Amino acid sequence: MLEYMIRSLNTTVPFILLAGLGIVLRRLGMIDEKFAAKGNKVIFYSGIPVVIFNTIRRANLSNVFDTQFLVFNIALMVVIFLAVWLLAVKLMREKDSVSSFVNSAYRSSLSVVAPPLFMLMFEQYHDPDVLPKSILVVSVLLIVSYATASVLFAVHDPKPNQKGVGKAILNVIISVAKNPVVIGVILGIIFNVLGLGLSDTVVGQDALGANVYGDMLPTFLATTLDRLGGIVMPLAMICVGANLKFHGFDAKFKYVIIASVFKLLLMPVVAVAIALAFGFRGSDLTIIMILNALPMAVGAYVMQAELGGDTYIGGSVLMITMTFSALTLTLFIFLFRVMGFLT
C-alpha cells in the first residue's frame, strides 16, 4: 500500500513542485505574467508539437491506432459536453455565464498538462505503445474540444461581425487546421507512414531490456528535437504557477465551486464508470481516467476572454483546478494502482 502511494506521489509531486517554483519566482519578481504568456507560446507552438511529432513518428501505428478506443473517447467527451450544457441552460439563472461555466467544467488541459503527465507516467512503461497511444488520443480530443467549445460560444456569445453558422463552422475548421498540435500529429503520421521514424538497426537496450533502434533523422536534428521536447513539462508547470491567481468572491462563486468539483471529481468518476461498463481495463482505463481528471485548460480560459465569456468563472476555476488537481490526480492514480488497473 505504501509503495503504491509513493509511486503515485512520484508521478504528481514534480508537477506540484514545479508549479510552486513558478509561484515563488513570480513573487520574487524573477518572472511575471509576460514571461508566463511567452513561455506558454513556446510550449504550445514548439515544445508540445515536437513531443507529439516525435512520439507518433516513432510509434507502431498498427498497435497505437485503436479505432474503438478513439471513438469511445470522442463520444464520451461529446456526451459529457452536451449533458453539462443542457443542465447549465436549465438550472443556471445567469444565462450570460452559461458558456463560461460549461467551457470551464468539461475542457481538460490536453495540450499543456496531459502530454508531460503521460510522458512522466508511461515513458518507462512496460508496454512501449501506451505513451504514443495516449498522445494520439490527446491530439484527437484536442480537435474535438476546440470544435465543441467553438459551437458553444457561437450559440451563447456570438461575435458582432459573425455571419451565420456557415462562417462559424469555417472559423472552427481554420482554427483546427492551424493548431500546432494538429500539425504535429499530421507530420508525425506522415513521417511514420513514409518510414522516417525509427530505423531497423538495433543500437542498444533500455533499462527494461527492450531493444533501442536508431533514428532515421540526422543525429543533430533528432537530438535537437528531443532536447526541445524535454523542456515541455518543467516550463509548462512553471508558467502555470506564474499564472495562478485567485479572482476573489462574488455572487457567481457557487458556479466556480460546482464547475471545479465536477471537473476534478465527478467527471473522472463518471468517465471511469462508463469505461468499465464498456469493458476498458488496464492502461486504457488509466488513460481515460487521466484525460477526464485533468485541470481546466489554460486555452479554455483564453478562449473565454477572447470570445466575450465570463472571465471571473474561467479564471477562478482555472486557479482552483490547477491547484487541487495534483491532489486529486494522486488520489485517483493511487486507487488505480491498488485496484490493479495501473502497474
Side-chain angles (χ1 to χ4, degrees):
M1 189 75 70
L2 179 60
E3 178 189 358
Y4 289 140
M5 178 62 76
I6 292 173
R7 292 173 67 182
S8 300
L9 289 172
N10 285 341
T11 302
T12 54
V13 166
F15 283 81
I16 302 173
L17 295 179
L18 287 167
L21 177 61
I23 295 172
V24 171
L25 292 176
R26 188 193 70 202
R27 291 293 179 91
L28 293 175
M30 299 176 68
I31 61 176
D32 55 17
E33 292 180 358
K34 291 183 179 179
F35 173 91
K38 291 180 179 180
N40 284 330
K41 285 184 181 294
V42 171
I43 296 164
F44 185 68
Y45 286 101
S46 59
I48 290 174
V50 164
V51 169
I52 290 173
F53 168 73
N54 272 339
T55 302
I56 292 179
R57 76 181 176 88
R58 292 167 171 165
N60 184 341
L61 287 184
S62 61
N63 294 337
V64 170
F65 197 87
D66 187 336
T67 305
Q68 181 182 5
F69 187 63
L70 287 174
V71 170
F72 173 83
N73 279 283
I74 292 170
L76 182 63
M77 174 177 278
V78 172
V79 168
I80 290 175
F81 162 67
L82 293 175
V84 175
W85 191 1
L86 177 62
L87 289 173
V89 169
K90 288 195 172 291
L91 300 178
M92 287 182 65
R93 294 181 179 179
E94 293 83 352
K95 301 303 180 184
D96 60 328
S97 298
V98 166
S99 59
S100 295
F101 172 85
V102 176
N103 189 54
S104 302
Y106 90 98
R107 287 187 67 185
S108 297
S109 185
L110 297 172
S111 60
V112 174
V113 177
L117 178 57
F118 282 131
M119 287 168 62
L120 199 62
M121 290 190 64
F122 296 135
E123 205 160 25
Q124 301 299 325
Y125 199 65
H126 57 80
D127 183 351
D129 292 327
V130 173
L131 177 58
K133 185 175 184 178
S134 65
I135 295 296
L136 183 60
V137 73
V138 162
S139 306
V140 173
L141 290 182
L142 188 64
I143 298 172
V144 178
S145 175
Y146 268 95
T148 51
S150 298
V151 171
L152 174 69
F153 282 102
V155 171
H156 285 280
D157 301 286
K159 291 182 178 180
N161 59 348
Q162 186 170 297
K163 299 178 181 179
V165 177
K167 182 68 173 179
I169 294 174
L170 179 61
N171 289 337
V172 171
I173 294 173
I174 293 173
S175 175
V176 168
K178 291 168 59 179
N179 190 291
V181 174
V182 176
I183 294 172
V185 173
I186 294 172
L187 289 177
I189 292 174
I190 291 173
F191 271 62
N192 191 298
V193 171
L194 294 178
L196 301 176
L198 294 180
S199 70
D200 295 327
T201 304
V202 179
V203 297
Q205 291 187 328
D206 62 18
L208 299 177
N211 289 336
V212 176
Y213 294 89
D215 204 310
M216 290 291 289
L217 294 180
T219 301
F220 72 89
L221 181 56
T223 302
T224 300
L225 293 177
D226 287 337
R227 296 293 182 270
L228 179 58
I231 72 171
V232 169
M233 197 271 277
L235 182 57
M237 296 315 298
I238 288 173
C239 290
V240 165
N243 271 322
L244 287 180
K245 283 186 176 180
F246 183 53
H247 289 240
F249 298 92
D250 77 355
K252 297 179 182 178
F253 189 68
K254 59 180 179 291
Y255 299 131
V256 171
I257 296 300
I258 293 171
S260 299
V261 170
F262 178 83
K263 184 73 204 71
L264 295 180
L265 296 175
L266 295 182
M267 186 169 162
V269 169
V270 169
V272 168
I274 296 173
L276 283 170
F278 275 83
F280 290 100
R281 300 292 187 275
S283 59
D284 284 354
L285 187 63
T286 303
I287 293 171
I288 292 169
M289 178 274 289
I290 292 174
L291 288 172
N292 291 278
L294 292 167
M296 175 188 167
V298 175
Y301 171 75
V302 173
M303 193 172 192
Q304 287 178 210
E306 290 183 352
L307 298 182
D310 190 322
T311 55
Y312 167 77
I313 291 178
S316 299
V317 173
L318 177 63
M319 188 281 298
I320 291 173
T321 56
M322 279 292 185
T323 301
F324 289 99
S325 62
L327 300 176
T328 54
L329 276 168
T330 298
L331 173 63
F332 283 123
I333 292 171
F334 170 70
L335 291 175
F336 264 53
R337 292 193 194 280
V338 171
M339 293 186 292
F341 294 134
L342 181 64
T343 56

